[in-house]
Amino acid sequence: MIRRPLTPDQRSRGSALGETLRQARGQISLADAAATAGISPETLRKIETGRLPSPSFFTVAALCHAYGLSLDQLSHLGDPRR
């Protein structure tokens, strides 16, 4: 099955998610965060830089767990209205 290319809006949201996750990581090293979440450091790097703009729900949930955040807290970090 061929995956359709992401729209510019989807890419923009992926970049915003990556930046929010980077901020949430704070002083935790990329390697430590990736190991705690059970993903490779390269995957985390791609998510944070927007090169992987649509990570799976379970990956995002694992990163939130590694950072001590709920998904709700993560969504508020990325919302400029809050």
Side-chain angles (χ1 to χ4, degrees), residues 19-82:
E19 177 60 29
T20 300
L21 286 170
R22 170 59 195 100
Q23 290 174 8
R25 181 164 57 88
Q27 297 300 313
I28 302 169
S29 75
L30 188 126
D32 287 344
T36 302
I39 62 175
S40 73
E42 183 59 23
T43 296
L44 180 52
R45 187 176 296 110
K46 286 178 181 179
I47 292 168
E48 288 184 355
T49 60
R51 289 181 20 229
L52 182 60
S54 58
S56 76
F57 171 82
F58 297 104
T59 298
V60 174
L63 288 167
C64 284
H65 180 73
Y67 302 157
L69 295 173
S70 70
L71 290 169
D72 189 51
Q73 289 170 314
L74 179 71
S75 70
H76 293 314
L77 287 176
D79 187 349
R81 298 172 293 179
R82 298 191 191 254

